[in-house]
Amino acid sequence: MFDAKEYNIEISKLSKGNNTFEFEVDKELFEFFECTEVNDIKATISVSAIKSERLIEFKFNIKGILSVDCSRCLTNMTLQIDKKSDLYVKIGHLDNKQRVVEIDVNEWILDENEDDIDLSKYIYEELRVEIPIAPVHKKKSDCDEEMLNKLLEVNKQNLKDKEEFDPRWEKLKSLIKE
């Protein structure tokens, strides 16, 4: 069961300077954000939180394996994740009882009265952008050949059915002079 509290960092307990954390990510994070594209994920996120008076600089080091369906053959494939990113959290006064305001993808403002910050959304988004729009195996030879053949057959049959039953094509064919 997903628990967002696992991704919370208590600001009040951070010492000035460098603080380190580690998170283990699995499929539950993606399910929580209703992302159905991911079959499985195993990732480790190392976070260095550098705290100063009114700023916390989070440095993320993300490594793991992400499993999705290949858009070409519809079988499972894995993607390696190895990336670094930074998040800058300014501590300030926010109106309207807001806890956090996202100024930019990598820049947030946290209300000065808050004791903790939830990094689950940021981690999810950093992992989510690692999934290509149409993921495919690097080599076509890695695709499931049987599935590719079946898809080709279905595609040919669909084209044949469309040609036979669409009367618009019949009218156009009658215009062709042989």
Side-chain angles (χ1 to χ4, degrees):
M1 181 83 179
F2 178 78
D3 185 8
K5 290 180 182 178
E6 293 178 24
Y7 299 93
N8 279 4
I9 292 182
E10 293 184 55
I11 303 300
S12 58
K13 292 187 177 179
L14 290 178
S15 59
K16 296 242 191 264
N18 195 15
N19 302 266
T20 57
F21 303 91
E22 192 166 285
F23 302 104
E24 297 295 325
V25 176
D26 58 22
K27 188 177 176 183
E28 290 178 352
L29 177 68
F30 283 82
E31 289 171 347
F32 178 75
F33 287 102
E34 299 178 2
C35 177
T36 57
E37 296 169 53
V38 173
N39 298 331
D40 199 12
I41 181 170
K42 297 290 181 219
T44 301
I45 299 125
S46 301
V47 181
S48 176
I50 304 161
K51 183 180 181 186
S52 60
E53 190 63 35
R54 308 289 293 167
L55 176 73
I56 305 169
E57 181 182 356
F58 291 99
K59 295 186 172 288
F60 293 83
N61 187 6
I62 304 168
K63 293 180 186 265
I65 297 174
L66 185 70
S67 175
V68 294
D69 290 334
C70 173
S71 294
R72 187 178 336 167
C73 68
L74 307 177
T75 58
N76 196 46
M77 62 176 280
T78 57
L79 302 169
Q80 292 288 328
I81 303 167
D82 188 1
K83 73 178 288 185
K84 296 178 188 301
S85 67
D86 296 330
L87 172 65
Y88 301 94
V89 178
K90 298 175 185 177
I91 310 296
H93 178 73
L94 295 175
D95 294 329
N96 303 328
K97 298 183 181 181
Q98 293 176 306
R99 293 188 66 211
V100 176
V101 172
E102 289 185 34
I103 296 173
D104 192 11
V105 175
N106 294 52
E107 189 176 342
W108 296 357
I109 297 178
L110 178 70
D111 188 87
E112 60 196 0
N113 297 318
E114 291 300 320
D115 292 330
D116 63 348
I117 186 166
D118 178 9
L119 297 176
S120 63
K121 183 178 179 219
Y122 181 81
I123 291 170
Y124 164 75
E125 289 173 351
E126 287 297 306
L127 289 167
R128 181 67 183 86
V129 298
E130 292 299 302
I131 304 171
I133 292 171
V136 292
H137 288 101
K138 287 184 180 181
K139 298 177 189 170
K140 193 172 181 179
S141 61
D142 291 339
C143 284
D144 182 346
E145 191 173 332
E146 185 179 336
M147 181 59 82
L148 288 176
N149 290 334
K150 284 181 183 179
L151 290 170
L152 187 61
E153 284 177 32
V154 168
N155 193 27
K156 283 180 182 177
Q157 185 61 43
N158 286 342
L159 287 173
K160 184 179 176 188
D161 292 347
K162 190 172 185 175
E163 283 181 14
E164 290 176 7
F165 296 110
D166 192 340
R168 296 174 295 175
W169 290 115
E170 291 302 319
K171 288 181 180 181
L172 287 172
K173 285 181 184 177
S174 69
L175 296 174
I176 297 173
K177 294 181 183 174
E178 291 185 33

